[in-house]
Amino acid sequence: MKKAYSETIESNLEHLKTSAQGLSQAEAKARLEKNGKNVLAEKKKKSGFVKFLGQFKDVLIVVLIVSCIISVVMGAIENSVDEFIDAGIIFVVVLVNAVIGFYQERKSEKAMEALKNMTKPYCKVLRNKKSIKIKTEELVVGDIVILEAGDIVPADLRLIEASSLKIEESALTGESLPVEKDAEAFLDENVVLGDRVNMAFMGSVVTYGRGVGVVVATGMQTEMGKIASALSEIKQEETPLTKRIKSTSFLITAIVLVVCLVVFVVEVATGGSVMTSFSMAIAIAICAIPEGLPACNTVTMSMGVKRMSEERAIVKTLPAVETLGSTEVICSDKTGTLTLNKMTVQKLYFMGENCEAVNAIKKPEDAEPFAKDKNFVELLRCMVLCNDAKIRFEEDRLETIGDPTEIALVHYGFKLGLHKDNLEGKYERVNEIPFDSDRKMMSTFNSVGGKIYVYTKGAIDSVLARCNRVMENGKIRRLTTKDRENILNANAGFASHALRNLAFAFKTVEKVGKPTSENTENDLCFLGLVGMIDPPREEVKEAIKTCKQAGIATVMITGDHKDTAFAIAKELGICTSVNRVITGAELDEISDEDFAKVVGNFQVYARVSPEHNVKIVKALKANDKVVAMTGDGVNDAPSIKSADIGVGMGITGTDVTKEAADMILTDDNFATIVGAVKEGRRIYNTILKILTFLLGTSIAELFLLTVILLVFRDQNFFTPALILWINFVSDTFVGLALGFEKAERDIMKRKPIKNKGNLFKGTVGFNIITSALFVSIMSLGIYAACTYGFKLTPQETTTICFLYICFTEQLHAYNLKSDTQSLFRMKIFDNKVLNWCFLISAFLTTLIVVIPGGAFQAALGITTIEWWMWLFAVGMALLIVPFFEIVKLIIRTAQKRKKR
């Protein structure tokens, strides 16, 4: 069967068993029941229960659950309340972590559902030979659809009528300018999507003219549906930090299992009972696993998601937050993200005293010097009247429908007090010659005071060729060769700034009659040139500068021509050499393997297709880059899903793109991405601080407890309950407070963190190992001093070691406010949550030691102690501050040497 675009109108109607008068209601109902609704199939959503279970798949969570189950079993066997208490505490922590994660994902889903309102729910069709409105989802193949300016095309249509019809198809093709349609065109079967001028595709927007088309495909059979279907084949990858945490978790789990096995075997071999030995092994596991880590990570990311939503960025899943923090390349669509997605008048040229181009007037008061200039006034009038854009007021705002360039002209006139509806009330349009691609111009006939003005606009070559006069200083004279040369030079000057130029002319006639281009569009008087562009967003330039300082490369991707793309990129500071620009055609000449080797040489991609976007992402990822990709159209969805972090547009984005994205920008602004990256870096760094804090403690406890058990043979040193107190009250409580840390001043001046291997590499690993060694060696020294030097009781020794570890960790949280910066060069107490958590944790730790006797102290294995023992424990704990100052000095020195 031939494609719809390669068949005649008559053949299509015959094949679809319909007519130009449309289907009957009965036939439409039968087809709807047979083929289903005109909707895109949504990915089958997981049930709430399945999503909740998904929160338990982390390896550390699994180890904790297993420890919890074993504790319950042992408690039942030995009839021990302590084991049940331990299991209960672990269970509560795991449950809280799961609830927080589940709640945040559900919250993001609701935000996404609120954004899914981007297509019109109704369309106009012919049924029973009458024009009626129906729900878009009720369209069927064979329906006849009527299109007008402002309509969103509801399905794939083979056009059967097109009257000056232009459709903006950027959502599918990436082409930013509207495509002029031709229903009579007969096309080859191999013609590419963007050149199918006799078709209208689902999701595209009518910007000009009107048309009629027959539905040839609905729902998942449309071009939009095909792309949506292809997305399911793209595998979602794990985030960079998730990979590192998983690698670290497996390593910790392996070490813990080995140590537990060694402790169990040694204890049994030396005469210990199996149950006691097993209990000791479980205690080792509990002390080594940072129980609070999942909860701390989840809470930190949840707070980050909340902050981002307040800054107009909706993050769909928690792990996507930390991926933002390690982003190395941001590939951004130009239109609407780097630019305003709004054509704007930038320059004007009209014949005045100096014959020079003037910058577009931005404010009404700036127009006063030109108010009496007849050239300017007549040019402005022509811009507004020779224009088919429709206007209306919505809540005191000007709303426009039509071609983007015409909207720009109307907005410019409106800004200077020339309202199109008021002007047309005075200058009544009595006739017109519509735009067509052969003439490349249009003309309107406006009557006022018995005079008929012919206003013409179009391409410079077409309009200038029909002019023989020019208006200069309010007077009309003959157009000279020098004038033509000046006009063409001005046009070239505009073009060098990537402006889209239109020429304007006029004349007066006695009567209209039956106007044609031949009898009307001649002997025109040239009025001037207008240069327009979709301008860069003001805040984007600074955002790109911030990216450069942060070591993040910005790559611009656009369907525009090479010169336009380079002009915008140069203005934004993305690149300064045209050698850094490559076109889609040039990209096609390079194999995937070769492109991966040279992808770093290019920062601007012009005239590219959706397939090129995927190629760019793959090449960057082949170089181990963490890539963020933005997009709004259906055509962008595959590349968005292929990237490490896909960014969809909330305003202009299609539902398919939003579904594929990890993050949605509710303002479609590049600067919002950079703000989200900064927050992502804060979260990433905060999570690393929490990991350093909790893993350092866990490793110290693991080393300490193992040595005490195997070397000193002290089986009652730290009870499981006491270990859990340290892990939760002292560590997790304070660790959570680190999640409220502000971003460090230089966070956007650092290079992105490389995400390879486990967390025991680099600065993080150095901090974890040094702090763990310091605390464990100091604890062993205190244990030996108390036991063999001071000759204290086992309970007193345990209590002093317990106080030392708790106070050390609570103080160490302040050390970790920065990996490298001295504590005394920072605002030590700016994190109020950390201050309160420190005080509460220290108070509770002190309280359980100060209050004498009771079952609580007995369960923990501690006792009250004398004042000098308090001073000894606190004094030893304070040493963590100078020690870590030395560690930071070593790191800073190493970093300085590396820079050299």
Side-chain angles (χ1 to χ4, degrees), residues 577-618:
S577 171
V578 75
N579 294 329
R580 306 278 280 177
V581 185
I582 186 172
T583 65
E586 292 169 331
L587 201 55
D588 286 332
E589 301 297 318
I590 309 174
S591 68
D592 290 353
E593 294 75 16
D594 291 338
F595 181 53
K597 296 173 185 176
V598 298
V599 65
N601 297 337
F602 305 107
Q603 286 182 285
V604 179
Y605 296 85
R607 303 298 288 171
V608 294
S609 68
E611 294 76 18
H612 293 134
N613 291 2
V614 176
K615 185 173 181 176
I616 294 165
V617 170
K618 286 182 176 178

Side-chain angles (χ1 to χ4, degrees), residues 122-163:
Y122 291 91
C123 60
K124 195 182 292 183
V125 299
L126 291 177
R127 293 267 178 93
N128 293 334
K129 300 181 181 180
K130 292 180 181 178
S131 174
I132 62 170
K133 275 190 175 182
I134 65 167
K135 288 183 179 179
T136 298
E137 64 182 26
E138 294 174 359
L139 266 183
V140 296
V141 171
D143 260 325
I144 303 298
V145 178
I146 300 168
L147 299 174
E148 295 176 346
D151 288 348
I152 295 175
V153 180
D156 283 2
L157 312 177
R158 170 60 164 94
L159 295 170
I160 59 178
E161 289 180 28
S163 177

Side-chain angles (χ1 to χ4, degrees), residues 541 549 551 726 852:
K541 196 170 184 178
Q549 293 174 340
I726 295 172

Side-chain angles (χ1 to χ4, degrees), residues 22-78:
L23 299 170
S24 67
Q25 286 286 19
E27 177 62 20
K29 184 179 179 182
R31 294 188 184 194
L32 184 64
E33 289 175 355
K34 181 181 178 182
N35 301 318
K37 291 184 176 181
N38 175 37
V39 292
L40 297 180
E42 291 189 358
K43 187 170 70 175
K44 189 177 179 182
K45 292 184 178 180
K46 296 177 182 176
S47 67
F49 180 68
V50 171
K51 287 178 182 176
F52 184 71
L53 288 180
Q55 308 298 323
F56 298 94
K57 62 184 179 183
D58 183 86
V59 65
L60 289 178
I61 294 290
V62 173
V63 172
L64 286 175
I65 291 171
V66 171
S67 298
C68 180
I69 294 169
I70 292 173
S71 294
V72 170
V73 172
M74 289 181 61
I77 293 172
E78 294 188 334

